[in-house]
Amino acid sequence: PVQPDSPAVRRLYPSANTAAYSFDPLIGYRQCDTLIPGIGYWLKYRESADTVFIAGVARLADTLNVREGWNLIGTLSSPIGAYTVDSDPPGITTGLFYGYNRGYFIADTLIPGEGYWIRTSQDGKLALDASSPATAFKRTMRTEFTDRLAAANVIRVGDHAGNMASVFYLGTTESDDSSTAGYLFELPPTPPGGEFDARFASRRMLETVGEGLTREIPILISSPRYPVSL
């Protein structure tokens, strides 16, 4: 969340079990020994995590380079609303950010020290500014997303460790291929080794089934601690 004096992973998070892993849409996950502000990372801890204090220069605004596809980004030194993030070119994101806490969730606020996924339709830039207002377009996309999920049936996938994820299915005559709907419900890449995840084999959290029809869509469950409950 700040520009630290030392960017070394072992200096910032001395009790972490692993190196940090960033994500590149072209090559996937890669191991990092130093952390760059503005980039998001996976970092694995034991069951009981440390409380860490990271000193450095505050970051109240930043412009991040993003590539077409999924990007894992960092945040600023103060919380900002997800719908305040602007893009260049405009409209290359849906405004939906995903965080992770024993499973993926939609984030309305970007919290300092956390990493978030965002999908872009082309290469460009994201502008994060603690003083920027929310935009109506991004709020509309969020409303469309939540309305569709509220109308759907839900399967919750849990395991013995308390991890929980949900997948949704909806009986409808509408198509999901128009506008941004084709990727609106697509989930970020599965976590690197050993972290829980559940999703349809299509990589989406919501699938549609035509009224009166039947579809078979496998649910993929990664790294559960058995027993698993549905």
Side-chain angles (χ1 to χ4, degrees):
V2 297
Q3 183 68 50
D5 296 331
S6 170
V9 173
R10 292 302 176 191
R11 180 75 176 270
L12 296 171
Y13 300 97
S15 298
N17 282 7
T18 66
Y21 290 87
S22 64
F23 184 84
D24 186 314
L26 298 179
I27 63 175
Y29 290 111
R30 60 181 178 180
Q31 182 174 319
C32 305
D33 296 321
T34 59
L35 305 184
I36 300 173
I39 295 178
Y41 300 90
W42 287 94
L43 190 65
K44 189 169 185 177
Y45 262 78
R46 303 176 182 86
E47 291 295 330
S48 56
D50 286 346
T51 297
V52 296
F53 176 77
I54 301 176
V57 178
R59 301 174 61 252
L60 300 179
D62 200 358
T63 300
L64 312 178
N65 294 317
V66 290
R67 291 181 174 176
E68 179 181 353
W70 284 104
N71 295 267
L72 183 56
I73 69 166
T75 56
L76 303 179
S77 299
S78 60
I80 62 171
Y83 312 113
T84 68
V85 178
D86 290 323
S87 66
D88 182 20
I92 63 173
T93 80
T94 62
L96 298 179
F97 288 83
Y98 286 84
Y100 184 89
N101 183 10
R102 296 180 177 267
Y104 282 121
F105 66 93
I106 302 298
D108 291 324
T109 303
L110 308 185
I111 304 298
E114 301 289 334
Y116 296 92
W117 291 98
I118 182 69
R119 190 185 190 283
T120 59
S121 58
Q122 65 181 80
D123 295 357
K125 297 180 182 294
L126 298 182
L128 281 64
D129 191 326
S131 62
S132 294
T135 66
F137 170 74
K138 293 169 186 174
R139 289 194 181 277
T140 299
M141 295 300 297
R142 178 69 159 95
T143 300
E144 176 186 344
F145 180 91
T146 54
D147 286 351
R148 294 291 295 278
L149 292 188
N153 302 282
V154 59
I155 301 174
R156 303 194 190 281
V157 182
D159 73 357
H160 185 64
N163 298 308
M164 179 69 68
S166 298
V167 293
F168 303 83
Y169 62 98
L170 178 66
T172 179
T173 57
E174 299 177 1
S175 170
D176 257 350
D177 296 327
S178 62
S179 183
T180 58
Y183 62 84
L184 182 60
F185 297 97
E186 180 183 327
L187 285 168
T190 54
E195 295 306 310
F196 177 81
D197 181 74
R199 63 184 64 200
F200 287 116
S202 60
R203 298 187 302 173
R204 289 160 55 92
M205 68 160 53
L206 180 139
E207 285 289 353
T208 59
V209 182
E211 292 182 359
L213 302 178
T214 299
R215 289 183 66 192
E216 288 190 4
I217 310 170
I219 296 175
L220 306 181
I221 305 174
S222 304
S223 303
R225 297 189 185 179
Y226 292 98
V228 166
S229 63
L230 301 178

